[in-house]
């Protein structure tokens, strides 16, 4: 049995773990590896390695830091297929999708290669006679990154390239369900010339996370996961004096107005609803069909679902299995509940005939129509291949429904009316909005993040927000002794 372990101070951990977890191949249902869980003592070692490396790394010149980042970018690009294969083997998403997530992570590395510009401070000469003022951004220190199962490469890469480029050291705690991609990335950092200890990986569960959240050597925490855990991480890390950003769950609505290109909207709903088996925080899980859009849209979505091939992600299928058996059963339970509460099951994925091993965690694409706001299939984040259609009479009803949701990650509107789209962008309570674009994940040089219960904290991931999160600003006011008019003066300082 393959054993997966931590990466501390530039090499694999050599201890014997007190606890381990099973890592499944979701397409076969078999245990493919065991992963070591880090007890607090191992977290101490990782944080100590990071703190030790921080001293030299934060003083390393921007030129040297960016040289390492450029080398890392080339290595990740060259190993894209290897990383994608590791993701597919442990997460289940199809290979093309896994390659896509590596690409989106790479774009953050590319953004981080431009860190000299992003870190530029301001300078004001002569703010007072003979006095200049300037500002600079300095690293926060040791950053813990705690990531979810659904993007084992991309989500960690939302954070650590920016953190490292800004001069911080990192301890990554990836999901224990698919831990291998993080270790490939750790090895590539070493090959790129990153000094030992700047990037560390510890695996584990709540015990490991709690040790990071309360560790005095950790300065900042970036978390991504479900809303209850995000809230817990935010409160615990903040109570322990850390800077924290905690991205939570989602329930993304796609509003379709009657004047939309209905074929295009149906394509988008199927792509955004069932890509990665709906295990995306930016997946569309609710289609809000306004007025006459509903009937043709539901028919169009059902028609397209019929063409999807579900099966092993290594066999060129469109959609893979769910991540674990428990998760598959939980999602199937929501379909049962929706049907029981009166939703119309237009396409039922519960009996899917998958192109894969009998033991795989299969659940086919499912379309529920006539869903209402009281049903659990509507209120809860399902995180699976279940698309609900809620029918509403007007645009205002659609907007009210979306804004009443406790989540506010992403939302999309499909219409050919520019004024309606513009109004929606202004009025919708979500952090990311798509206009005739179903999965509006911002490019790396913008920032990713939701509103309401989809994000706890003030800053979003990557782009300008990422640089702000991983740096502290210092403002300097300086006078050099050109003795001038200096004299003792007890008045409050004012520009002269
Ligand atoms: P999760 O909340 O179960 O786990 C996330 C991380 O927290 C993992 O590293 C896990 O080991 C750790 N963890 C689990 N239980 C914990 C506990 N009790 N205490 C402390 N740490 C704990 O999430 P998941 O199932 O891995 O990922 C899916 C969730 O992530 C969905 O809710 C999805 O919407 C969300 N997500 C959000 C975004 C976003 O940008 N907002 C992006 C990706 C995923």
């Amino acid at each position: 049995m393959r054993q997966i372990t931590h990466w501390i101070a530039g090499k694999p951990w050599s201890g014997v773990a007190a606890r381990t977890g099973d890592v499944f191949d979701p397409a076969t249902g078999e245990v493919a590896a065991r992963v070591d869980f880090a007890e607090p003592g191992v977290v101490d070692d990782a944080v100590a390695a990071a703190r030790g490396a921080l001293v030299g790394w934060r003083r390393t010149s921007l030129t040297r830091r960016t040289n390492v980042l450029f080398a890392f970018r080339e290595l990740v690009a060259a190993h894209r297929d290897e990383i994608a294969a590791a993701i597919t083997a442990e997460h289940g998403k199809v290979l093309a999708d896994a390659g896509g997530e590596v690409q989106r992570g790479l774009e953050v590395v590319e953004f981080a290669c431009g860190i000299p510009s992003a870190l530029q401070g301001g300078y004001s000469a002569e703010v007072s006679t003979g006095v200049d003022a300037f500002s600079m951004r300095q690293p926060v220190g040791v950053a813990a990154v705690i990531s979810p199962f659904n993007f084992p490469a991309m989500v960690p890469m939302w954070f650590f390239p920016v953190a490292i480029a800004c001069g911080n050291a990192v301890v990554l705690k990836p999901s224990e369900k698919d831990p291998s991609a993080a270790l490939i990335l750790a090895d590539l950092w070493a090959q790129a010339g990153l000094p030992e200890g700047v990037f560390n990986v510890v695996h584990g569960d709540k015990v490991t996370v709690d040790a990071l959240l309360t560790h005095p050597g950790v300065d900042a925490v970036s978390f991504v996961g479900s809303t209850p855990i995000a809230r817990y991480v935010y409160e615990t890390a903040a109570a322990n004096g850390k800077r924290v950003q905690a991205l939570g769950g989602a329930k993304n609505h796609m509003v379709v107005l009657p004047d939309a290109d209905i074929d295009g909207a149906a394509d988008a709903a199927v792509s955004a609803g069932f890509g990665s088996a709906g295990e995306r925080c930016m997946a569309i899980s609710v289609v809000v069909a306004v007025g006459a859009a509903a009937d043709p849209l539901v028919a169009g979505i059902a028609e397209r679902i019929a063409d999807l091939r579900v099966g092993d992600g290594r066999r060129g299928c469109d959609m893979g299995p769910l991540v674990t058996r428990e998760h598959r059963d939980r999602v199937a339970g929501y379909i049962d509940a929706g049907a029981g509460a009166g939703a119309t099951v237009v396409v039922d994925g519960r009996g899917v005939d998958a192109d894969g091993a009998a033991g795989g965690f299969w659940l086919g694409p499912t379309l529920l129509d006539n869903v209402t706001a009281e049903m659990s299939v509507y209120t809860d984040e399902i995180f699976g291949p279940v698309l609900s259609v809620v029918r509403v009479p007007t645009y205002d009803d659609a907007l009210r429904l979306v804004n009443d949701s406790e989540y506010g990650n992403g939302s999309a509107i499909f219409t050919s009316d520019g004024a309606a789209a513009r109004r929606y962008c202004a009025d919708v309570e979500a952090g990311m909005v798509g206009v005739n674009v179903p999965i509006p994940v911002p490019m790396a040089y913008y920032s990713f993040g939701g509103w309401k219960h989809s994000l706890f904290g003030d800053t979003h991931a990557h782009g300008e927000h990422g640089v702000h999160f991983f740096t502290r600003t210092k403002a300097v006011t300086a006078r050099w002794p050109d003795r001038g008019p200096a004299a003792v003066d007890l008045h409050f300082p004012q520009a002269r």
Side-chain angles (χ1 to χ4, degrees):
M1 181 65 65
R2 191 163 65 93
Q3 193 75 23
I4 298 168
T5 196
H6 321 297
W7 179 275
I8 297 175
K11 53 186 173 304
W13 186 66
S14 55
V16 177
R19 295 183 307 130
T20 61
D22 291 337
V23 179
F24 288 89
D25 178 340
T28 64
E30 285 163 12
V31 177
R34 296 231 154 75
V35 58
D36 291 344
F37 283 3
E39 303 302 326
V42 178
V43 172
D44 282 346
D45 292 346
V47 174
R51 288 223 83 79
L54 179 64
V55 183
W57 183 244
R58 60 182 296 156
R59 295 216 174 103
T60 300
S61 71
L62 284 171
T63 306
R64 289 223 177 106
R65 275 192 236 159
T66 43
N67 281 345
V68 173
L69 281 155
F70 274 109
F72 182 66
R73 191 246 166 241
E74 294 304 306
L75 285 160
V76 174
H79 288 79
R80 186 194 319 245
D81 291 349
E82 183 195 342
I83 301 167
I87 294 170
T88 296
E90 296 178 352
H91 175 284
K93 66 177 74 174
V94 302
L95 274 174
D97 197 29
E101 90 157 86
V102 178
Q103 176 57 34
R104 293 308 299 258
L106 256 183
E107 289 166 11
V108 182
V109 181
E110 287 161 3
F111 167 74
C113 286
I115 202 69
S117 311
L119 281 181
Q120 275 175 354
Y123 191 95
S124 302
E126 211 69 5
V127 294
S128 183
T129 308
V131 178
D132 304 325
F134 60 96
S135 65
M136 57 176 127
R137 295 200 160 274
Q138 296 189 313
V140 174
V142 171
V145 176
I146 301 158
S147 56
F149 80 82
N150 66 317
F151 285 110
M154 181 188 78
V155 166
M157 287 210 270
W158 280 350
F159 304 101
F160 68 66
V162 181
I164 288 173
C166 290
N168 300 279
V170 170
V171 180
L172 168 65
K173 206 302 284 175
S175 171
E176 66 279 27
K177 296 189 178 85
D178 42 18
S180 292
L183 294 170
I184 300 174
L185 294 168
D187 185 51
L188 297 180
W189 272 127
Q191 291 183 41
L194 189 72
E196 287 175 5
V198 177
F199 183 73
N200 308 275
V201 181
V202 292
H203 302 288
D205 56 4
K206 178 174 168 54
V207 173
T208 313
V209 172
D210 283 344
L212 285 165
L213 301 181
T214 55
H215 201 292
V218 171
D219 302 292
V221 176
S222 298
F223 171 90
V224 181
S226 56
T227 287
I229 312 291
R231 185 187 282 113
Y232 166 77
V233 165
Y234 180 74
E235 289 171 355
T236 310
N240 281 274
K242 296 169 199 335
R243 181 178 289 200
V244 50
Q245 52 180 181
L247 285 68
K251 194 84 191 174
N252 304 314
H253 295 69
M254 169 173 157
V255 173
V256 183
L257 300 187
D259 61 16
D261 164 6
I262 297 294
D263 279 335
D267 284 340
V270 172
S271 310
F274 303 116
S276 196
E279 291 171 329
R280 286 183 185 147
C281 59
M282 288 293 276
I284 292 295
S285 54
V286 183
V287 171
V288 187
V290 178
D295 286 342
L297 188 59
V298 169
I301 294 172
E303 208 176 281
R304 285 160 176 79
I305 291 176
D307 292 336
L308 296 181
R309 258 183 68 219
V310 177
D312 191 318
R314 293 159 287 219
R315 296 187 189 176
C317 298
D318 299 303
M319 196 186 104
L322 272 71
V323 69
T324 60
R325 181 169 289 113
E326 295 70 33
H327 187 52
R328 185 246 164 245
D329 293 347
R330 184 175 163 273
V331 176
Y334 276 109
I335 304 172
D336 300 341
T344 311
V345 185
V346 182
V347 181
D348 190 345
R350 286 171 291 187
V352 69
D353 180 18
D355 178 7
F361 309 139
W362 308 115
L363 185 66
T366 296
L367 180 62
L368 300 178
D369 193 5
N370 299 306
V371 170
T372 60
E374 303 73 43
M375 296 179 188
S376 63
V377 73
Y378 176 79
T379 54
D380 296 4
E381 181 183 38
I382 297 177
F383 222 56
V386 180
L387 192 57
S388 296
V389 177
V390 178
R391 295 173 177 240
V392 296
T394 66
Y395 167 88
D396 287 334
D397 295 308
L399 182 69
R400 200 172 310 117
L401 182 81
V402 177
N403 284 351
D404 280 349
S405 169
E406 68 169 298
Y407 300 105
N409 214 36
S411 184
I413 185 163
F414 280 69
T415 179
S416 55
D417 179 344
R422 187 169 179 272
R423 201 171 130 203
Y424 192 73
C425 292
D427 292 345
V428 71
E429 292 179 14
M432 296 167 283
V433 186
V435 175
N436 298 315
V437 169
I439 312 179
V441 175
M443 297 303 287
Y445 36 91
Y446 283 84
S447 298
F448 181 110
W451 288 14
K452 301 195 275 188
H453 289 174
S454 294
L455 189 145
F456 300 90
D458 310 299
T459 38
H460 294 189
H462 60 67
E464 188 188 2
H465 281 222
V467 175
H468 284 206
F469 184 77
F470 289 116
T471 53
R472 293 187 290 188
T473 326
K474 190 176 274 177
V476 181
T477 306
R479 184 206 305 274
W480 286 96
D482 167 14
R483 289 296 296 170
V488 172
D489 180 356
L490 299 192
H491 291 110
F492 196 70
Q494 293 173 38
R496 289 179 194 158

